[in-house]
Amino acid sequence: MRIGILTGGGDCPGLNAVIRAVVRTADGRYRSSVVGFRDGWRGLLEDRKVPLSNDDRIDRILTRGGTILGTARVNPDKLKAGLDQIRQTLDDNGIDALIPIGGEGTLTAAGWLAESGVPVIGVPKTIDNDIDCTDVTFGFDTALSIATDAIDRLHTTAESHQRVMLVEVMGRHAGWIALHSGLATGAHLTLVPEVPFDVAEVCDMVKKRFQRGDSHFICVVAEGAAPTPESMTLREGGIDEFGHKRFTGVAQQLGAEIERRIGKEVRTTVLGHVQRGGTPTPYDRVLATRFGVHATDAVHRGDFGQMVALHGTSIELVALTDATRHLKTVPRERYDEAAAFFG
Ligand code: F6P
């Protein structure tokens, strides 16, 4: 069998671990070969590929962040219009099955291909942890570790200067990184996209903390968090070419508003792409490796149109259509757990 593989969307620690696991399992268990397509779906649209062999080089990528195949975002309309071209490239290269590794956008496109009869097994990835039907995605644990380390450090400097510190973490529609890093570091407030915040309430919380004699205030803000419309206006950033809302820096704007309203010194840190770079944690290496092994097994069983998913401690298959119907956002009850530590 000849398997195609690609990594799409934003990169994420653990992608190389999946690639390695697919190549090693395909060759070692089935004597199948693997062809990598470069830069996500673009590699299939433009027939740009690289053979991947089960050698020492592939073995060493386990611990490397990023993706050796490169990745790219593609406009969903352009992708839809290019599905025939993608099928043609797969035929031209004698590809029997495709393993796209990606987030919501990549897996949705994988579903379109599967519907049109292309044998596909998806592998979910994203630091945002917002893919439905899997307990967790690899990349999340690494991003969480990086955010936690950074916030721990902010605590000590904030404490020394009696400051309010806002730290903006990634999370476009889902506040998982914010929720977990806030809980892990004992943040005094966490703001997530799922629950609009009231600026007056935030200011009140800050004021009360200092009135009580507490030394500092740490607030974790997901990049997609937003105020209630009546409490503050956020600058508009428009929509990018991939259909995503452009963020304008919610933490920075909230910080300025807190300073203006209560005259307290605020510092803001935006963690940004640091959260996505570098070597994956052991947890992510293991999960990504298991996903790669199970995706390769599924391909050889012919279980197509599905993606691998973590359920408890087992890796199982779920239909791509089910996994891409909704994003997995933070449920209200999970936010309420964290709220027990606010203030
Ligand atoms: O991959 C998910 C993600 O890291 C989001 O958390 C973030 O909003 C986005 O990607 C950033 O994308 P880009 O790398 O294109 O700036």
Side-chain angles (χ1 to χ4, degrees):
M1 198 175 219
R2 199 165 149 81
I3 302 168
I5 187 167
L6 64 87
T7 52
D11 76 327
C12 150
L15 288 169
N16 286 324
V18 181
I19 296 167
R20 166 184 176 266
V22 169
V23 172
R24 290 208 49 176
T25 311
D27 179 50
R29 252 183 213 175
Y30 303 100
R31 294 278 152 231
S32 292
S33 59
V34 183
V35 176
F37 288 91
R38 290 199 183 274
D39 304 334
W41 296 111
R42 271 199 216 153
L44 275 166
L45 290 166
E46 298 162 9
D47 198 359
R48 288 188 292 113
K49 55 196 177 286
V50 51
L52 296 168
S53 42
N54 186 5
D55 55 20
D56 192 39
R57 225 159 32 107
I58 210 80
D59 227 20
R60 286 201 307 265
I61 66 173
L62 169 65
T63 58
R64 250 173 78 178
T67 160
I68 57 162
L69 294 177
T71 184
R73 297 192 193 280
V74 182
N75 175 296
D77 293 333
K78 282 192 192 147
L79 194 54
K80 227 172 193 169
L83 287 179
D84 284 344
Q85 180 56 56
I86 288 174
R87 274 194 298 268
Q88 188 61 52
T89 307
L90 291 171
D91 277 355
D92 292 348
N93 289 284
I95 301 295
D96 301 299
L98 183 67
I99 301 184
I101 313 166
E104 184 218 355
T106 306
L107 295 172
T108 301
W112 296 337
L113 276 179
E115 271 168 29
S116 72
V118 176
V120 170
I121 290 288
V123 176
K125 69 90 216 177
T126 164
I127 66 162
D128 293 348
N129 194 33
D130 60 1
I131 302 297
D132 204 15
C133 302
T134 180
D135 292 354
V136 72
T137 49
F138 66 85
F140 174 63
D141 187 65
T142 306
L144 176 60
S145 303
I146 295 166
T148 299
D149 179 59
I151 300 164
D152 283 346
R153 288 166 195 278
L154 290 173
H155 266 289
T156 64
T157 173
E159 210 166 20
S160 308
H161 288 262
Q162 305 91 48
R163 272 176 176 151
V164 178
M165 291 262 186
L166 305 186
V167 51
E168 187 175 298
V169 298
M170 280 186 169
R172 194 173 271 287
H173 304 288
W176 293 108
I177 298 177
L179 182 83
H180 282 228
S181 61
L183 270 174
T185 58
H188 307 116
L189 178 63
T190 298
L191 303 175
V192 296
E194 293 85 347
V195 184
F197 61 88
D198 184 299
V199 185
E201 283 173 17
V202 174
C203 289
D204 206 39
M205 210 177 263
V206 174
K207 264 199 306 200
K208 285 203 177 115
R209 228 186 121 68
F210 286 100
Q211 276 162 4
R212 274 205 316 258
D214 287 321
S215 58
H216 69 300
F217 188 93
I218 295 271
C219 174
V220 183
V221 187
E223 62 185 349
T228 55
E230 60 284 2
S231 77
M232 177 184 149
T233 311
L234 267 193
R235 270 197 307 279
E236 272 298 321
I239 303 288
D240 70 15
E241 59 172 312
F242 311 113
H244 293 147
K245 199 172 151 192
R246 271 200 204 93
F247 293 121
T248 57
V250 58
Q252 195 72 45
Q253 292 174 68
L254 173 61
E257 193 64 17
I258 294 172
E259 282 195 343
R260 196 182 65 76
R261 292 195 190 193
I262 61 172
K264 192 81 202 142
E265 196 176 20
V266 178
R267 292 286 187 273
T268 302
T269 304
V270 179
L271 291 185
H273 291 80
V274 167
Q275 294 160 94
R276 244 168 53 186
T279 188
T281 56
Y283 181 90
D284 280 339
R285 293 180 204 181
V286 171
L287 180 59
T289 298
R290 295 184 70 203
F291 274 179
V293 171
H294 282 262
T296 313
D297 286 342
V299 158
H300 287 87
R301 284 197 309 269
D303 278 342
F304 297 118
Q306 311 201 68
M307 82 170 192
V308 288
L310 181 70
H311 294 157
T313 55
S314 307
I315 309 291
E316 293 171 359
L317 293 173
V318 295
L320 281 165
T321 42
D322 291 338
T324 54
R325 196 165 293 129
H326 306 288
L327 278 182
K328 185 180 69 187
T329 52
V330 173
R332 185 66 209 217
E333 62 272 21
R334 291 294 306 276
Y335 187 70
D336 289 344
E337 283 172 11
F341 302 93
F342 293 171

